[in-house]
Amino acid sequence: MARIAFILLCHKDPEAIIDQARRLTRAGDYIAIHFDARGGKEAFEAIREGLKDNPNVAYATKRIKCGWGEWSLVEATLYAIEAAEAAFPRATHFYMLSGDCMAIKTAEYIHDYLDREDVDVIESFDFFESDWIKTGIKEERLIYRHWFNERTHKWLFYQSFWMQRRLGLQREIPEDLQIMIGSQWWCLRRRTIEWILDFTRSRKDVMKFFRTTWIPDETFFQTLVRHLVPENEIKTRTLTFLMFTDYGMPVVFYNDHYDLLLSQDYLFARKISPEAKELKKRLGDLFAATGVEFQISNEGRSLFNFLTGRGRDGRRFAQRFWETESTLGRDRELLMIVCKKWHVAKRLVSRIKDHSDIPCLEYLFNEENTYLPDLGGIEKSLEKRTRHRRAWVRMLFDYFDADKMVVCLDPQGIELIRDFNADRSGTRVLEIDCEFTDDYLAGHAKRTGLAGEQTPEEALQRLLPTIRADINHESDRIRDAEFDHYERISQSSTPEENARPLARFLGIPEETAREIVSMHYLFSD
């Protein structure tokens, strides 16, 4: 059975560290602690005193002061690994943790998971070809030497950087290494740890290179594992669940995140708030439990993006030249059907095709595989369609040789509607008002990745009011925009009542419009 040596990097809260060490070693596992030298001698002695009777605890062979982005974080990790490798010969796996991490599965589940596959689990993406780095310097992390900390000595950091750049003082990357990048929270097998320690002792050139690399904790172990271990023995992921905000800061978990954390396909989570006492207690009790079955839905990231994305109305990237300069054509009319229930709008479009010769296109800005004519490749991706929207829709008018065309849009795309409405061509908007049952909203949550098949019913019910409010908000924004030619049909209205706005929207006789909306299953789910 797997026996884990946890590698714990921490710098504060001795009492919490003692609790964490006791909890993690209770199932027969081990822990090696590096307590930042900045944390003070008294705090460190308190940890040693609190754990003095625990034979499964070891301490880094040396304590150093650590700084974000510095080599010191890797060095501290290596000191803790050396201690663990020597003190715990029965350890089969070495798992990196911080003081803010907690298990979100039982010890039983974690051991079974690690026994399942003989692999190293570490994010390891090509440094230059992947898009793992979203902002800031990239190759400059490697090809220049970084002696100063960007956070504590910003002026020196950038003066040194720009001087090397002006003087062309680039350095070579060790030629036999493919530099990789990924999360610093990994789980490695004992054999891999032994290989890494041997490598650090024999390859002084590589150690010298990484000592002046910026943020080496995201590249050092990731590169060495890929260099030393066969590719088929590496699982490129992390077992620690963590998310970041738009500002690059870690998302912090609180008491009400318990159900969400348990349903993620991870073993640990970071960061748990120090104030989340109830969450810590529940997760601590869970770790010691046996026979627990977990329902994995893994919707955490998509749910976070959905919830944090609400309220960001009005943001829009600057228009491209082909948007500002192009027009659909002064004598053309774009008829936009806006509906959250796509199947309802598609049924209506199908009826319009049967009763008129107006070209109709379904959700061309929302569905990758909707039917479209071949227009030279611009139609191949949603990104291209949206980016070149006016030029592309003009091409569709030309293709159909028509002066009037119907398209379907999701109400979430109000910026698209506004953009087309601002064009010199004629535009009309028809909103379809549908009723949304809880069952439909639950299915919508699963279709869009906000929930999974295994999401607990209680968690799903808490999410439904937020989704309903979001849909209502999208509809309110469309009505508040006060478009000049806006019409609305509703599920609660009779076919006769819906025929009048549809006739105005399409410019057809009211009798024909009544035939179109009279289908009895138009609004059926």
Side-chain angles (χ1 to χ4, degrees):
M1 186 182 79
R3 299 286 292 273
I4 307 167
F6 293 103
I7 308 300
L8 179 66
L9 265 57
C10 48
H11 65 280
K12 61 181 180 180
D13 202 348
E15 189 174 325
I17 293 168
I18 294 169
D19 289 342
Q20 187 178 27
R22 287 173 177 168
R23 181 172 56 253
L24 292 176
T25 57
R26 200 168 291 148
D29 294 314
Y30 315 99
I31 190 167
I33 301 172
H34 179 277
F35 187 73
D36 197 323
R38 299 180 194 274
K41 185 177 180 179
E42 289 184 7
F44 181 59
E45 290 303 323
I47 295 171
R48 294 185 69 102
E49 180 64 24
L51 297 172
K52 64 181 181 181
D53 297 326
N54 192 328
N56 288 7
V57 177
Y59 300 93
T61 53
K62 183 179 180 181
R63 285 179 64 214
I64 60 172
K65 295 180 179 179
C66 297
W68 183 89
E70 294 179 2
W71 167 253
S72 55
L73 287 175
V74 176
E75 191 173 24
T77 304
L78 288 172
Y79 286 138
I81 288 174
E82 287 175 346
E85 192 267 343
F88 310 126
R90 296 179 64 190
T92 61
H93 295 76
F94 293 68
Y95 195 120
M96 267 289 292
L97 290 175
S98 76
D100 297 318
C101 296
M102 283 198 72
I104 55 175
K105 299 290 186 293
T106 62
E108 179 182 63
Y109 182 99
I110 292 171
H111 290 140
D112 288 345
Y113 183 97
L114 296 179
D115 282 333
R116 227 172 287 155
E117 290 185 88
D118 186 22
V119 293
D120 296 306
V121 186
I122 181 171
E123 281 193 350
S124 182
F125 303 101
D126 186 276
F127 184 93
F128 295 100
E129 294 183 3
S130 72
D131 63 347
W132 201 87
I133 298 175
K134 303 298 184 185
T135 60
I137 61 176
K138 186 171 182 177
E139 66 175 351
E140 292 86 355
R141 291 190 186 191
L142 306 175
I143 63 175
Y144 298 116
R145 298 166 179 84
H146 301 278
W147 295 286
F148 306 102
N149 189 296
E150 192 264 350
R151 292 191 174 182
T152 57
H153 298 92
K154 186 179 290 287
W155 187 85
L156 289 172
F157 179 90
Y158 284 105
Q159 286 300 309
S160 169
F161 170 70
W162 286 112
M163 182 177 294
Q164 292 179 74
R165 191 166 186 170
R166 282 195 300 270
L167 297 176
L169 300 178
Q170 296 186 15
R171 61 175 176 172
E172 295 294 327
I173 297 171
E175 60 180 14
D176 62 329
L177 292 184
Q178 177 187 6
I179 303 299
M180 311 299 288
I181 192 165
S183 168
Q184 62 269 50
W185 312 110
W186 40 254
C187 180
L188 303 178
R189 297 167 297 174
R190 183 179 194 90
R191 185 187 65 178
T192 303
I193 288 293
E194 291 171 349
W195 285 349
I196 289 174
L197 291 177
D198 289 342
F199 187 92
T200 62
R201 297 175 187 125
S202 63
R203 290 294 300 272
K204 300 302 180 185
D205 60 321
V206 174
M207 300 298 283
K208 181 180 179 181
F209 172 79
F210 278 107
R211 281 182 186 277
T212 51
T213 295
W214 183 233
I215 320 182
D217 53 315
E218 294 178 351
T219 54
F220 180 79
F221 290 100
Q222 296 77 3
T223 299
L224 265 58
V225 170
R226 184 67 64 171
H227 181 72
L228 298 169
V229 178
E231 186 175 357
N232 62 352
E233 296 182 22
I234 301 172
K235 181 173 282 190
T236 305
R237 61 161 297 183
T238 176
L239 294 175
T240 299
F241 180 61
L242 68 161
M243 297 187 293
F244 290 90
T245 68
D246 287 351
Y247 302 99
M249 300 301 292
V251 173
V252 179
F253 299 109
Y254 295 92
N255 291 332
D256 56 349
H257 287 125
Y258 179 80
D259 290 328
L260 181 143
L261 291 177
L262 264 60
S263 65
Q264 304 313 303
D265 185 22
Y266 295 86
L267 306 183
F268 284 77
R270 182 180 187 272
K271 288 184 162 186
I272 308 297
S273 169
E275 286 76 40
K277 305 296 184 185
E278 180 186 346
L279 176 61
K280 287 188 171 185
K281 183 182 185 308
R282 295 180 73 184
L283 290 177
D285 292 343
L286 174 75
F287 185 71
T290 57
V292 179
E293 293 186 7
F294 294 91
Q295 296 182 327
I296 306 299
S297 54
N298 219 30
E299 77 283 8
R301 286 192 171 86
S302 58
L303 183 59
F304 174 77
N305 292 334
F306 165 70
L307 294 174
T308 55
R310 299 172 70 243
R312 294 177 184 167
D313 304 337
R315 294 197 317 168
R316 186 165 185 265
F317 293 108
Q319 289 181 315
R320 309 285 186 172
F321 74 89
W322 48 78
E323 294 174 18
T324 57
E325 297 300 324
S326 66
T327 176
L328 306 185
R330 188 182 298 276
D331 298 325
R332 287 168 167 168
E333 279 191 306
L334 183 66
L335 311 182
M336 294 175 277
I337 296 178
V338 182
C339 184
K340 196 66 180 179
K341 288 187 176 181
W342 295 3
H343 62 279
V344 174
K346 290 178 180 180
R347 287 174 189 155
L348 183 64
V349 160
S350 177
R351 295 282 289 180
I352 292 172
K353 289 179 181 178
D354 292 340
H355 290 79
S356 76
D357 58 359
I358 303 173
C360 298
L361 295 167
E362 295 178 356
Y363 285 85
L364 67 171
F365 293 105
N366 305 102
E367 282 189 309
E368 192 92 47
N369 61 349
T370 192
Y371 170 75
L372 293 168
D374 185 354
L375 296 175
I378 194 173
E379 78 285 351
K380 296 300 183 184
S381 73
L382 292 177
E383 181 186 1
K384 284 185 177 181
R385 298 177 203 170
T386 304
R387 189 191 311 152
H388 309 293
R389 47 186 168 272
R390 286 195 192 178
W392 183 54
V393 172
R394 182 185 180 112
M395 292 171 69
L396 289 169
F397 272 110
D398 293 338
Y399 175 85
F400 289 112
D401 193 20
D403 292 328
K404 185 183 291 187
M405 186 167 66
V406 172
V407 298
C408 297
L409 299 173
D410 189 282
Q412 188 179 28
I414 188 170
E415 296 303 336
L416 283 170
I417 303 171
R418 284 182 173 140
D419 188 46
F420 286 126
N421 189 68
D423 186 69
R424 68 182 67 171
S425 63
T427 55
R428 299 174 188 237
V429 177
L430 174 70
E431 184 182 8
I432 304 178
D433 178 31
C434 299
E435 297 173 1
F436 297 93
T437 64
D438 284 354
D439 286 343
Y440 178 85
L441 293 179
H444 175 75
K446 293 173 182 177
R447 287 190 295 274
T448 56
L450 300 176
E453 293 298 331
Q454 304 301 324
T455 298
E457 184 64 26
E458 182 183 349
L460 189 58
Q461 290 303 316
R462 287 201 301 268
L463 178 62
L464 295 188
T466 303
I467 299 176
R468 187 183 298 279
D470 199 63
I471 292 174
N472 291 337
H473 176 63
E474 290 175 355
S475 179
D476 288 341
R477 285 202 303 169
I478 292 172
R479 275 180 274 184
D480 291 343
E482 297 182 345
F483 297 117
D484 289 338
H485 301 287
Y486 169 83
E487 304 291 347
R488 181 183 179 89
I489 65 174
S490 175
Q491 184 171 352
S492 60
S493 299
T494 65
E496 289 72 20
E497 292 171 329
N498 284 333
R500 288 189 290 274
L502 181 62
R504 290 193 294 268
F505 173 71
L506 293 173
I508 59 175
E510 192 171 317
E511 182 179 342
T512 305
R514 191 179 302 112
E515 291 182 29
I516 292 175
V517 295
S518 291
M519 59 190 304
H520 66 278
Y521 59 90
L522 175 61
F523 292 97
S524 300
D525 290 332

